[in-house]
Amino acid sequence: SGFVAPNAGSGITNVTFTVAATGTSTVLEITGLIPGGIASDIPVINDVSVVQAMPGPVDPDASTVEAWQESVAADGLSTSTITVTLTDSNGIPVSGKTVSLAKTSGPGSPIITTNNGTTGGGGTATFEVTSTTAGAVEFTATDVTDGNLVITDTATVNFVAGAANSETSTVAASPTNVVADGVSTSTIIVTLRDATNGPVSGKTVTLTNTAGTVAPVITTISGTTDVIGEATFTVDSAVSGTTELTATDV
């Protein structure tokens, strides 16, 4: 905050001014004549008092919930920090309140870790969230101390699926034996998973015959992995023999 001291020639000899305090401190800047000017015009500070404003009740509409990392990998390891700031209707931080954080929408069951569940001098409580399920998740904060007061603002974190991992991904046939009549089919399900065994959705998959004594007809039922990482195909053949099928994440 700033204040320009008047010159003595203006006839003002005593000035009182007020600034609003923030959660930690407020810097006061008082300017007047620089040294070397007329001595009588140099402002003299003869009394300074600081009064801390007492916050009112928590205002659920003025308080905020913020995700510092809006997008993280859905690998169960990468975290987003969510900060809840409780303030009154004038924006003054409210300390000493117990805060909880919960998932209110989105896929999966994210893990919520409380770093500091009681608001400090700045009115903040902090949490960390992680998930192994891809998708956007909304989080809501509650002021538990004041009768489970739900904060209006929410935070959304987009958990992004990692790359498909060839070691954890699978290709399965059911049944493994069918009649070679050109009509009977076997269903091939390709499941893409990342390194933490989490499903990888939204990936285009192809299925090809890479070995065996016959070349079956391959039909794509769903060539893009769904929310559980699956793509589906069927195969049939009019010629007896075996075939080896390989899936590719294109």
Side-chain angles (χ1 to χ4, degrees), residues 110-147:
I111 296 175
I112 301 173
T113 302
T114 302
N115 290 340
N116 179 16
T118 302
T119 57
T124 60
T126 58
F127 305 83
E128 286 186 349
V129 295
T130 185
S131 180
T132 57
T133 303
V137 178
E138 181 184 54
F139 295 93
T140 298
T142 300
D143 171 10
V144 178
T145 302
D146 295 315

Side-chain angles (χ1 to χ4, degrees), residues 30-233:
I30 302 175
T31 60
L33 291 179
I34 61 173
I38 302 174
S40 61
D41 287 343
I42 299 177
V44 176
I45 302 173
N46 55 22
D47 185 47
V48 174
S49 62
V50 177
V51 178
Q52 182 178 2
M54 297 301 295
V58 172
D59 186 333
D61 295 324
S63 300
T64 61
V65 183
E66 182 178 7
W68 289 98
Q69 297 82 20
E70 295 181 349
S71 182
V72 296
D75 57 8
L77 302 173
S78 302
T79 61
S80 176
T81 300
I82 295 181
T83 299
V84 180
T85 304
L86 300 185
T87 66
D88 65 11
S89 59
N90 293 315
I92 298 175
V94 182
S95 62
K97 302 294 184 179
T98 299
V99 177
S100 66
L101 188 73
K103 168 199 164 184
T104 46
S105 68
S109 300
I111 296 175
I112 301 173
T113 302
T114 302
N115 290 340
N116 179 16
T118 302
T119 57
T124 60
T126 58
F127 305 83
E128 286 186 349
V129 295
T130 185
S131 180
T132 57
T133 303
V137 178
E138 181 184 54
F139 295 93
T140 298
T142 300
D143 171 10
V144 178
T145 302
D146 295 315
N148 292 322
L149 182 67
V150 178
I151 305 306
T152 303
D153 192 24
T154 61
T156 298
V157 178
N158 185 29
F159 294 100
V160 181
N165 183 282
S166 61
E167 299 297 326
T168 58
S169 299
T170 60
V171 181
S174 178
T176 55
N177 291 285
V178 295
V179 178
D181 57 8
V183 177
S184 301
T185 62
S186 175
T187 299
I188 311 296
I189 296 180
V190 179
T191 303
L192 297 186
R193 297 186 178 277
D194 61 20
T196 63
N197 216 36
V200 179
S201 62
K203 301 295 184 180
T204 300
V205 177
T206 60
L207 189 70
T208 56
N209 173 40
T210 51
T213 59
V214 298
V217 176
I218 300 173
T219 302
T220 301
I221 305 301
S222 175
T224 302
T225 55
D226 56 19
V227 293
I228 59 175
E230 291 185 351
T232 307
F233 305 82

